[in-house]
Amino acid sequence: MSDTTQHKGPRLNRRQSIQLGAASAAAGLVAARPGRLAHAEDPPTGPSTAPWMMPLTVPVPKQTVASLSPEPSLYPCTGEAGRDPHQTWTGAAPQKLYTIHVKEALHSFHPQLPAQTIWGYDGTFPGPCIVARYNEPLLVRFYNEINPYAVGYGSPEISVHLHNLHCASESDGFAGDYWSSVRYGPGLTRAGQFKDHLFMNHYAGFSTDPAGIGDTREALGTLWFHDHRLDFTEQNVYRGMAGLYLMFDELDSGNEKDPNPMALKLPSGVGKYDIPLVFADFLFDKSGYVYYNPLIDNKGHLGNKVTVNGKIQPYFKVQRRKYRFRLLDASVARFYEFYLMNGTTSQNFTYIANDGNLLPAPLTMNAVRLAPAERADIVIDFSKYPHGTRLYLVNRLLMKDGRGPEGLSSRGEQLLRFDVDTDPMEQDVSQVPARLRELPPINLNDVVRTRRWEFDKDNAIWTVNKKIFDPEKAAAVVKRNTAEIWELRGNGSWHHPVHVHMEEVRILSRNGVPPPPHEQGRKDVIVLKPDERVKVFIRFRDFTGKYLLHCHNLTHEDHAMMARWDVVA
């Protein structure tokens, strides 16, 4: 494999590593499931499962711990993987401390299926939900408790990426910063039992703001963390490594009763009226076990069952009031287009955030399309429906492989049932105001350079600018506190959801025309349709170090459609 640890003997180059990676994973698949041949074959037909047999699993806020031992420090402490020093260390650890244990555990997707072995954050799928606030720093200590010699698909070395947080490079989860108790990647200096990630939760631009606050117009809302191990991101995420990170501030305060006149008073209470919905598809064989064969192809792995918060076709009892739902596409390759159906009639809902970022004003829509890693926050008002109404969240988007969406089905697949069950215990005082979060202006006079990034395929290997990913070499070096225009180009008949780490972008144009209204806010995932050209405006602020640009179809990413870019002072 592409292990860059201190092993003796010749080192494989990246292209050899990628080409041999599937064979190695397939050998692990044979060990995990005796008797299964490791060769390309048709995807299995999954088992039938009865719908609506169990309630939706609702994420609730994870609790802090009082202390950590050894104490966190500027430099790696005893037992910690060899990271770079924290860029924003203030001399002491933040008051808010968390521990997350990455480990093997059993998970039930459905009562009629056997329990499955997953690798999960705290041993759950989805993983825990961290609720954070701006200007309240926190530190998460991730323990890697996966057997470092585990067999089967996936890698026991991990690198945790907090998707979309504006944070320092050493806590961003760079693909080459992977580690276990015995191995480590080229971005680190040693293996370790754990690794500390420092999340300052500052607004972008804080380092040049005289007040030290940053631009509140750039606040983030719905984020998630997942594995980003070089060459094995798809397999590790598919094994269960995904969790939630929600952020609040004075405007989006998380309190619908907030007396502050600035507060939006959106439906609130994480796990009560503010509900994350994590969508991920899995391929089950006839016996009901999750199946993964890396030798089928490298277009993108699609499942035959879709899970919502880890369950197949759950139901959710709701009160006759407004709810905020945070939709996350955590699938490794599948796109979705969701409709809220009452019988055969689609229902309108209020679209308030794209990629977790509040829009300037809410939109009334009856459908939302998500690519892998995209998010959308919507508000559904169930007070419009009488007791006993059953509504369904339906996916109508068709895909036959990882090439991308192929159109809409007439009926679609019901994924989640809403049961309008009771009246609220007290008056619903939540609202969706006419104005949400203002956008910062785009000043093209700040642009110092235009770059082109081309996403293509070369001899069955996915490339960026005709090159495969090299974790030790920057494809671009940008100057901190400057702005650039990046032109993203998708060549061929493929869809590529392109993710930019650390900084968000603003879409200037798609094939020369402005983007649709829901894409006119801040974005961290930009979907490239076949042969599409998208121009984006991007700034580089506050931090230095190495970051990533890649396709979030994780098969494409692991087959080298990724580029490193560095920020320098």
Side-chain angles (χ1 to χ4, degrees):
M1 295 307 303
S2 61
D3 191 1
T4 54
T5 61
Q6 310 306 308
H7 288 269
K8 295 181 179 180
R11 177 183 295 182
L12 299 177
N13 64 39
R14 280 287 290 145
R15 187 173 292 272
Q16 291 170 324
S17 170
I18 294 163
Q19 290 169 338
L20 290 176
S24 175
L29 182 148
V30 173
R33 299 296 306 279
R36 185 179 298 282
L37 297 177
H39 59 74
E41 56 187 44
D42 291 335
T45 300
S48 58
T49 52
W52 330 126
M53 288 190 66
M54 62 279 178
L56 177 74
T57 299
V58 179
V60 296
K62 182 175 174 62
Q63 299 302 303
T64 59
V65 297
S67 63
L68 294 172
S69 180
E71 293 184 0
S73 62
L74 170 63
Y75 295 96
C77 55
T78 302
E80 185 178 1
R83 57 168 171 81
D84 289 336
H86 294 305
Q87 294 184 45
T88 50
W89 190 255
T90 59
Q95 293 184 347
K96 295 186 70 174
L97 303 171
Y98 294 87
T99 60
I100 292 180
H101 298 260
V102 189
K103 58 187 179 181
E104 181 178 295
L106 289 177
H107 174 78
S108 174
F109 289 100
H110 190 278
Q112 294 176 327
L113 301 181
Q116 313 279 320
T117 299
I118 65 165
W119 290 351
Y121 298 118
D122 285 344
T124 64
F125 176 72
C129 176
I130 293 177
V131 175
R133 298 195 69 86
Y134 270 94
N135 295 319
E136 291 184 3
L138 62 86
L139 183 142
V140 184
R141 177 163 290 178
F142 289 94
Y143 291 90
N144 185 355
E145 298 174 0
I146 301 169
N147 181 351
Y149 303 105
V151 297
Y153 65 87
S155 166
E157 298 88 48
I158 64 173
S159 179
V160 184
H161 171 51
L162 180 43
H163 185 112
N164 197 30
L165 188 69
H166 183 72
C167 76
S169 172
E170 64 276 4
S171 296
D172 183 63
F174 183 75
D177 289 0
Y178 57 83
W179 56 277
S180 71
S181 60
V182 298
R183 299 184 182 89
Y184 59 98
L188 303 180
T189 59
R190 70 187 187 207
Q193 301 292 333
F194 60 87
K195 183 172 181 284
D196 288 347
H197 287 233
L198 177 62
F199 303 133
M200 297 304 292
N201 297 328
H202 287 323
Y203 297 103
F206 70 90
S207 64
T208 55
D209 180 1
I213 296 175
D215 193 340
T216 60
R217 297 170 296 188
E218 302 228 30
L220 313 171
T222 305
L223 301 86
W224 66 302
F225 51 94
H226 61 82
D227 190 68
H228 219 304
R229 203 279 197 205
L230 178 67
D231 296 343
F232 288 93
T233 297
E234 176 185 56
Q235 296 178 39
N236 283 3
V237 172
Y238 190 70
R239 291 206 72 156
M241 294 190 207
L244 293 157
Y245 191 99
L246 310 182
M247 296 192 69
F248 296 95
D249 67 354
E250 188 177 37
L251 188 69
D252 187 8
S253 69
N255 180 6
E256 61 193 44
K257 299 179 181 178
D258 197 330
N260 183 350
M262 288 187 59
L264 297 174
K265 300 179 178 60
L266 295 166
S268 68
V270 176
K272 188 175 182 181
Y273 305 121
D274 182 349
I275 311 295
L277 298 177
V278 179
F279 298 88
D281 62 329
F282 294 89
L283 191 63
F284 290 86
D285 63 20
K286 289 183 178 180
S287 59
Y289 285 93
V290 172
Y291 173 90
Y292 183 87
N293 187 343
L295 296 183
I296 293 177
D297 57 43
N298 67 355
K299 297 175 182 177
H301 187 78
L302 299 181
N304 50 24
K305 297 282 187 181
V306 177
T307 64
V308 188
N309 291 355
K311 303 296 183 183
I312 299 171
Q313 290 184 301
Y315 63 86
F316 183 45
K317 293 184 177 182
V318 297
Q319 299 172 18
R320 297 182 66 245
R321 56 153 290 155
K322 293 184 288 297
Y323 284 73
R324 177 181 186 171
F325 293 100
R326 302 171 185 258
L327 283 57
L328 160 65
D329 182 351
S331 293
V332 297
R334 184 175 293 280
F335 289 63
Y336 298 90
E337 186 160 317
F338 298 110
Y339 293 79
L340 180 65
M341 302 299 295
N342 185 5
T344 59
T345 306
S346 64
Q347 307 293 293
N348 288 337
F349 47 78
T350 306
Y351 190 110
I352 62 171
N354 185 297
D355 278 355
N357 302 307
L358 290 175
L359 297 170
L363 302 171
T364 299
M365 303 178 67
N366 77 332
V368 55
R369 179 175 291 201
L370 295 181
E374 279 194 301
R375 286 89 65 217
D377 291 20
I378 66 173
V379 173
I380 301 175
D381 187 355
F382 293 105
S383 68
K384 300 184 296 183
Y385 304 101
H387 291 113
T389 302
R390 291 181 172 178
L391 300 130
Y392 298 86
L393 196 64
V394 174
N395 173 42
R396 293 181 54 199
L397 199 59
L398 297 173
M399 289 183 69
K400 70 177 182 180
D401 59 31
R403 191 177 297 272
E406 296 191 343
L408 297 177
S409 67
S410 58
R411 296 185 61 183
E413 180 184 5
Q414 296 174 338
L415 303 181
L416 173 62
R417 190 182 77 192
F418 297 109
D419 295 348
V420 182
D421 189 54
T422 60
D423 290 322
M425 298 293 292
E426 56 184 353
Q427 182 183 1
D428 178 11
V429 296
S430 69
Q431 62 180 19
V432 180
R435 301 298 301 173
L436 296 172
R437 194 180 296 275
E438 182 184 356
L439 284 172
I442 296 175
N443 187 353
L444 295 180
N445 292 326
D446 294 339
V447 173
V448 299
R449 179 169 178 170
T450 297
R451 298 181 194 268
R452 179 182 297 174
W453 301 96
E454 296 201 25
F455 294 78
D456 211 337
K457 195 174 187 181
D458 177 24
N459 293 326
I461 293 178
W462 300 100
T463 63
V464 180
N465 287 350
K466 305 298 182 183
K467 296 180 180 179
I468 61 174
F469 176 60
D470 185 342
E472 301 182 78
K473 182 178 180 181
V477 177
V478 302
K479 186 80 171 175
R480 183 173 59 183
N481 297 325
T482 64
E484 296 186 356
I485 290 177
W486 286 3
E487 182 178 335
L488 311 176
R489 294 193 168 199
N491 295 329
S493 58
W494 302 88
H495 287 70
H496 298 297
V498 176
H499 173 46
V500 182
H501 283 218
M502 201 269 280
E503 287 284 11
E504 296 181 303
V505 306
R506 297 278 296 280
I507 299 177
L508 300 175
S509 65
R510 284 188 174 275
N511 293 325
V513 300
H518 73 280
E519 284 195 328
Q520 292 179 11
R522 294 167 289 121
K523 294 280 294 174
D524 67 79
V525 178
I526 308 96
V527 178
L528 288 181
K529 298 176 183 177
D531 288 324
E532 191 167 35
R533 309 291 183 260
V534 179
K535 287 188 176 181
V536 303
F537 174 84
I538 182 171
R539 294 184 182 275
F540 313 100
R541 292 161 293 182
D542 304 318
F543 304 109
T544 59
K546 57 188 186 295
Y547 293 96
L548 292 169
L549 169 76
H550 64 87
C551 178
H552 222 290
N553 178 324
L554 298 184
T555 306
H556 298 182
E557 174 188 324
D558 285 343
H559 287 78
M561 188 172 263
M562 185 157 56
R564 168 179 166 176
W565 54 277
D566 290 3
V567 184
V568 298

